[in-house]
Amino acid sequence: MDQGEPSGQKSGQRSGGKVNVWPLASVNFFMADFQAGIGPFLGVFLLAHHWQSGLIGTVMTIGGVAGMLMTIPAGAFIDATRHKRASIIIPAIATIAASALILISQEFWLVATSQVATAIAGAIIGPAVNAMTLGIVHQAGFNRQNGINQAFNHAGNVVGAGLSGFLGWKFGYPAVFILAGVFGVLTIISVLMISPASIDHDVARGTGEGSEDGKVSGLQTLLECKPLLVLAAALAAFHLGNGAMLPLYGMAVVSDGSTNGPGFVAITVVVAQATMIVASIVAMRMAEAEGYWLVLLISFTALPVRGLVAADLLVPWGVYPVQILDGVGAGLQSVAVPGLVARILNGTGRINIGQGAVMTVQGLGASLSPAIGGWIAQIFGYSAMFMILGSFALISVALWIAYSSLLKPACAPKLAPSTA
């Protein structure tokens, strides 16, 4: 499937000089619909099968914890492997198969197993795409290409969610799974369009551009690189509040049975992802001109506002302001976080372990969020839950401002070589 690079051959060798990067955009577009399985449709799907919000949040958390535990090993694997394409194709197949299990049975442990498998596959796919991008365009082109990738990824989410909502309304939930399978096949075709020889595997891990191979492990990177540590802590607090917002908002509005579940969830995704297309392009431009510090500060401040709005607008039309704010926060971070980590750790040879370390701490917050939010909603109601979850991002804002003197040099457009 993916032959890697022969021993002694310089990976990333370019014939004719210019590399076609549009297959990367195509991969990001099509992988959007299947990477997280049925994603935000899971909550309303299980709600339709008589699950309670607390149990739904728990099964989501089980999957989130499994994915979180895999992020550092996945990063280490992506750093080491010369089979970047296969690292996307094989987990893609596993994700589609795992999601299909939920159609067979909605027993708790089968659903939990499906979420675990999906989360593990997702932990590999994301770093593999980022590493492949870095290996093709190098550090100089990564911010711009990552911005393009994310814009196409969000566009794929818009198309996928819109089609899923329509097909789910017209034909039922099985059509949502079938559509994810089709997008998975198209993702694999897009990956196979990328030549293995165009990927410089040394650059993809943070070496090969005049720097020595570092020996820093993922855990050591978090403990020794202060900008990375603050970034991880801020993201953990943000995702502790943000992780459950989308599925629980969908559940809150459709719980009375007066709103079509698949159709409403599709709208929540489409509004957020359409906003993220614009936000990712803005983040790319801002990062080129001003650096990443302000981009991330704006992303953190969007969540407390979103929590207040969601608490006050538990009505179908409230999806528009709530999900626009989601698009601002997540869209800015989708460009800024991978770009900042790659910049900070350039030269260590451990970029993808570092990405995995950040994702692990970030995933800790995201994996706990559904369980916390689900039980708060069940005991105190949805409005109180949204206000509490939104307030967690105030920790992120406080950290980002308090350590601004440390972070701004690391986030600057032109990073000094000694920052990492």
Side-chain angles (χ1 to χ4, degrees), residues 24 27 31 35 74-75 77-79 81 83-89 91 121-135 199 204 352 359:
L24 285 171
V27 169
M31 80 181 211
Q35 186 178 2
F77 172 75
I78 297 302
D79 273 337
T81 186
H83 299 277
K84 300 291 193 297
R85 300 190 312 165
S87 300
I88 300 171
I89 293 171
I124 298 172
I125 292 173
V129 172
N130 283 336
M132 191 163 63
T133 301
L134 184 59
I199 306 169
N352 294 294
M359 289 174 64

Side-chain angles (χ1 to χ4, degrees), residues 40-41 43-45 47-48 161-173 176 247 249-269 315-317 319:
F41 290 90
V44 294
F45 174 76
L47 198 65
L163 289 174
S164 295
F166 172 76
L167 294 174
W169 166 73
K170 192 77 174 176
F171 305 106
Y173 285 104
V176 176
Y249 189 76
M251 290 164 55
V253 175
V254 306
S255 59
D256 63 359
S258 62
T259 304
N260 176 266
F264 181 79
V265 173
I267 293 173
T268 68
V269 176
V315 292
W317 64 266
V319 65

Side-chain angles (χ1 to χ4, degrees), residues 336-347:
V337 174
L340 180 55
V341 173
R343 180 178 291 176
I344 290 173
L345 296 179
N346 187 37

Side-chain angles (χ1 to χ4, degrees), residues 7 39 55 111 125 150 162 173 182 195 224 228 232 236 242 296 302 357 372:
S7 177
L55 203 58
V111 174
I125 292 173
Q150 294 306 320
Y173 285 104
V182 171
S195 169
E224 296 174 4
L228 195 69
N242 189 69
L296 285 165
I372 293 173

